[in-house]
Amino acid sequence: MPDTTLPPRLPVHVPLGTRPLGLLASLSAARRNLLSIIPKIATTQPMVSGRTGARWHMVMDPDAIRAMLLERLDDYPKSLVTKNLLRPAIGESLFIAEGAHWRWQRRAAAPVFSHRNVMNLAPIMTAAAERCCARISAAGPRAVNLHDEMVTTTFDVISDVTFSGDSVFDKSGVHRAIDDYIAAAGKISLFDMLGFPDWVPRPGRLLSGNAVRQMKSVADSAIDARAARGHDGVPDLLDLLLAGEDPETKRRMSVAELRDNLLTFIVAGHETTALALSWSLYLCAFDQEVQERARAEAQSLLQGRAAGGEDVAELPYVRQIVDEAMRLYPPAGIISRTARKADTLCGREVRPGDTVMVPIYALHRNALLWREPDAFRPERFADRKAVPRYAYLPFGDGPRICIGASFAIQEAVIILATLLSRFRFTPVDGRTPGPVMIITLRPEGGVWLEAEAV
């Protein structure tokens, strides 16, 4: 369980392990909270290695991470554990695909997230933020679970920018299916940790089959309907994907490839942003001085009007809060790769087949890289050039950096600025959220805050 007896000026964090764990203990810990398999020494060392059924390494050195994610990308494909968790839902989409199959999809999808297209989607983000404010106001002056609100708000955004409000798209059905899939499939299997092949059934994942079928059925129906009917107005995500092609080969995505990438964007596009916003609001309630400064910035700029995409650059402190929230609570707390070739990282031997992890949660709190690493200090990001590039990886980096990173940042800044300009948030006694990672780093118990109109 997370440590809630912290010094008064440190936000909640996960107590990392101080003794080695065996295979069964590691499995048990991972099923409760994946972050608990990270040893505390990972926050003070550049690299930690061990064996839990198979050889593994955790890398916190920015130069070694750069080698893995940029210079020798093909030598470190995504791990079998990652693929086994996600393939049933999103197939060989951008998130999982490797080599040439990944490259052509990335080229075809890249224009979807161009600066112009992302800016065009700002009014949808703003409208969702306004609806969120209306719901909070209607609830009256009482405690609100802001995590639930952020999940609802960001799902409104991703569904509207994907399908432009098409009645064909069952938002609540897909939302339920995503939650059901994560709950059933997002448990680390002993078979995964032992490296069993894909064809060996994972009992937990078998239970998620209905949710997967429902997600894919809804997406297929929406794609077929749009292809037959077309869409007027500003192109949405589905329009842009349907029109997308690899500029080198002119290849276009099949219906199955469109569906898998669409589901990838829907799942990742609302989950990660909802988490960044939830933790940002928790931190703003934790430090009222930070919240007041951000509110003053937002109110000065917005002055009663709706936030737009062009405003993001004019809200630097709000952006710093989002950045710092993703440092302390990165949505993807661990990324995992499998070494394809023999290598040396930080002077240590890496063998083919070794699991090589970047524990982003520990990287972001590593005392070799960050001053007062457990403290909430948004001003760390006042000069982004001063932050070592491979020391801060909320969206990964290298060629496989999250394709929707600019979309997520714009959405988070617009929603957070809108909320802070309307409400003052304060903590609820006894309701501190617990950082727990299964697939993503969620606030267990929700983010309960008092919301007072300002």
Side-chain angles (χ1 to χ4, degrees):
M1 288 296 295
D3 184 353
T4 57
T5 59
L6 298 173
R9 297 314 302 162
L10 289 181
V12 66
H13 71 272
V14 176
L16 302 181
T18 56
R19 58 184 178 83
L21 297 177
L23 178 60
L24 293 179
S26 293
L27 175 63
S28 177
R31 290 176 69 85
R32 292 192 307 270
N33 187 354
L34 192 55
L35 295 180
S36 65
I37 71 170
I38 301 174
K40 185 172 178 58
I41 195 175
T43 62
T44 57
Q45 298 294 318
M47 185 169 175
V48 178
S49 301
R51 178 184 288 275
T52 309
R55 282 168 50 93
W56 56 262
H57 312 276
M58 293 187 181
V59 182
M60 288 69 61
D61 177 71
D63 290 339
I65 295 171
R66 174 186 172 91
M68 291 172 56
L69 301 185
L70 177 63
E71 296 163 359
R72 299 193 285 280
L73 175 68
D74 290 341
D75 294 345
Y76 290 95
K78 296 212 173 195
S79 71
L80 288 175
V81 172
T82 301
K83 292 177 180 178
N84 286 338
L85 281 173
L86 300 176
R87 185 182 285 115
I90 60 175
E92 291 293 330
S93 63
L94 265 172
F95 193 79
I96 289 178
E98 302 287 352
H101 188 52
W102 166 75
R103 288 186 176 87
W104 88 262
Q105 290 187 80
R106 180 82 182 202
R107 290 193 297 264
V112 173
F113 295 97
S114 69
H115 178 71
R116 182 185 66 180
N117 285 335
V118 170
M119 289 284 285
N120 285 341
L121 299 173
I124 293 174
M125 300 170 182
T126 302
E130 296 286 350
R131 291 194 296 273
C132 177
C133 288
R135 289 192 299 271
I136 294 173
S137 293
R142 64 174 180 81
V144 178
N145 185 348
L146 269 298
H147 176 58
D148 283 352
E149 275 297 334
M150 294 305 95
V151 169
T152 298
T153 302
T154 59
F155 196 79
D156 280 351
V157 171
I158 197 64
S159 57
D160 286 347
V161 304
T162 303
F163 298 112
S164 296
D166 276 1
S167 58
V168 174
F169 179 58
D170 178 8
K171 287 204 296 188
S172 62
V174 171
H175 200 172
R176 285 194 305 272
I178 290 171
D179 281 346
D180 290 348
Y181 178 76
I182 290 175
K187 301 289 186 181
I188 298 294
S189 165
L190 178 62
F191 296 162
D192 292 325
M193 296 187 74
L194 292 174
F196 281 26
D198 291 358
W199 54 263
V200 177
R202 270 64 168 175
R205 244 143 279 165
L206 294 177
L207 298 175
S208 66
N210 289 336
V212 171
R213 284 189 291 274
Q214 182 181 0
M215 286 192 296
K216 292 188 175 185
S217 174
V218 171
D220 283 342
S221 297
I223 291 168
D224 290 342
R226 178 63 58 81
R229 188 179 68 254
H231 171 244
D232 296 327
V234 176
D236 60 23
L237 188 60
L238 181 52
D239 292 325
L240 295 168
L241 279 174
L242 283 165
E245 67 177 20
D246 179 354
E248 294 186 12
T249 65
K250 306 304 179 185
R251 178 177 174 180
R252 293 192 173 202
M253 292 184 189
S254 67
V255 171
E257 288 164 340
L258 274 170
R259 177 198 64 214
D260 289 344
N261 279 293
L262 205 56
L263 288 174
T264 298
F265 298 148
I266 290 171
V267 174
H270 94 95
E271 172 82 1
T272 56
T273 312
L275 291 172
L277 281 163
S278 298
W279 288 115
S280 294
L281 287 163
Y282 158 71
L283 290 166
C284 283
F286 170 82
D287 190 326
Q288 291 292 314
E289 290 184 10
V290 166
Q291 183 179 166
E292 289 300 328
R293 179 177 168 186
R295 177 177 299 107
E297 179 182 84
Q299 289 180 334
S300 175
L301 179 67
L302 301 180
Q303 295 180 337
R305 65 176 176 82
E310 70 282 354
D311 293 324
V312 173
E314 304 301 319
L315 293 163
Y317 195 64
V318 174
R319 166 71 189 270
Q320 289 167 38
I321 292 171
V322 173
D323 288 336
E324 177 73 340
M326 290 192 293
R327 183 188 71 83
L328 288 169
Y329 309 105
I334 301 175
I335 60 175
S336 183
R337 300 288 189 265
T338 300
R340 183 172 283 165
K341 297 180 180 178
D343 198 3
T344 300
L345 296 173
C346 299
R348 192 166 300 180
E349 178 190 27
V350 176
R351 300 174 188 170
D354 285 1
T355 296
V356 185
M357 294 171 274
V358 180
I360 297 176
Y361 184 85
L363 173 74
H364 286 182
R365 294 171 181 264
N366 192 286
L368 300 176
L369 304 170
W370 304 93
R371 183 180 178 186
E372 297 182 280
D374 290 325
F376 174 46
R377 302 278 187 271
E379 59 273 13
R380 296 179 204 274
F381 294 93
D383 179 7
R384 294 187 59 81
K385 293 180 181 178
V387 177
R389 178 159 179 178
Y390 285 85
Y392 180 64
L393 302 174
F395 297 105
D397 213 304
R400 295 199 73 135
I401 190 171
C402 175
I403 197 170
S406 61
F407 176 100
I409 289 295
Q410 175 176 291
E411 179 184 8
V413 170
I414 285 174
I415 293 173
L416 184 59
T418 301
L419 289 173
L420 292 178
S421 71
R422 309 287 182 83
F423 302 99
R424 176 174 292 104
F425 298 99
T426 53
V428 175
D429 290 342
R431 301 300 295 266
T432 301
V436 173
M437 179 181 172
I438 302 298
I439 292 180
T440 51
L441 179 49
R442 291 179 166 189
E444 187 175 55
V447 176
W448 288 88
L449 304 175
E450 297 277 354
E452 177 190 359
V454 293

